[in-house]
C-alpha cells in the first residue's frame, strides 16, 4: 500500500484497511472454491497472498489504533469511532 506506510491520516489508513479487507475476503472465497474443486493449481499462490494481506491488515489496524490514540480531544476520538464503528467489517 504505497503512501500509507510511514504515515497517513487515521481516515486514510482506515480506508486502506477497508479496501484490503474487502479484497482479502474475495481472495479467501476464491481459495475456498479452489480447495473444494478438483484442480487447485492456483491455491498455493493465492494462499500466500491471503496470508500476506492478513498480515498487512494487522499492521494497518495497529497503525489505526496508534493514530486514534494520538487524537488529543476525547470527543473527537469518540466521534471518529462512532462514525466508523462497524464500517470496517461490512
Amino acid at each position: 500500500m504505497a503512501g500509507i506506510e510511514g504515515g497517513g491520516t487515521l481516515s486514510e489508513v482506515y480506508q486502506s484497511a477497508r479496501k484490503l479487507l474487502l479484497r482479502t475476503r474475495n481472495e479467501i472465497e476464491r481459495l475456498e472454491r479452489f480447495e473444494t474443486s478438483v484442480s487447485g493449481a492456483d491455491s498455493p499462490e493465492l494462499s500466500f497472498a491471503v496470508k500476506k494481506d492478513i498480515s498487512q491488515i494487522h499492521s494497518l489496524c495497529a497503525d489505526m489504533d496508534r493514530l486514534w490514540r494520538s487524537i488529543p480531544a476525547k470527543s473527537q476520538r469518540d466521534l471518529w469511532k462512532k462514525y466508523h464503528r462497524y464500517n470496517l467489517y461490512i
Side-chain angles (χ1 to χ4, degrees), residues 2 25 32 39 49 51 56-57 59 62 64 68 79 85 87:
R25 185 184 297 168
E32 288 172 344
S39 66
K51 288 176 184 177
Q56 192 167 8
I57 289 168
S59 177
M64 282 190 293
W68 183 80
L79 180 63
R85 176 167 283 165
N87 289 340

Side-chain angles (χ1 to χ4, degrees), residues 9-19 60 64 80 83-89:
T9 67
L10 180 56
S11 292
E12 289 170 339
V13 175
Y14 170 83
Q15 288 301 322
S16 295
R18 183 167 162 74
K19 288 176 187 175
L60 289 169
M64 282 190 293
W80 193 93
Y83 178 74
H84 291 89
R85 176 167 283 165
Y86 297 108
N87 289 340
L88 186 59
Y89 302 104

Side-chain angles (χ1 to χ4, degrees), residues 27 30-31 34-35 37 39-49:
E27 290 172 344
R30 283 184 53 215
L31 187 58
F34 282 131
E35 288 178 352
S37 71
S39 66
D42 236 1
S43 187
E45 294 83 12
L46 186 58
S47 178
F48 177 76

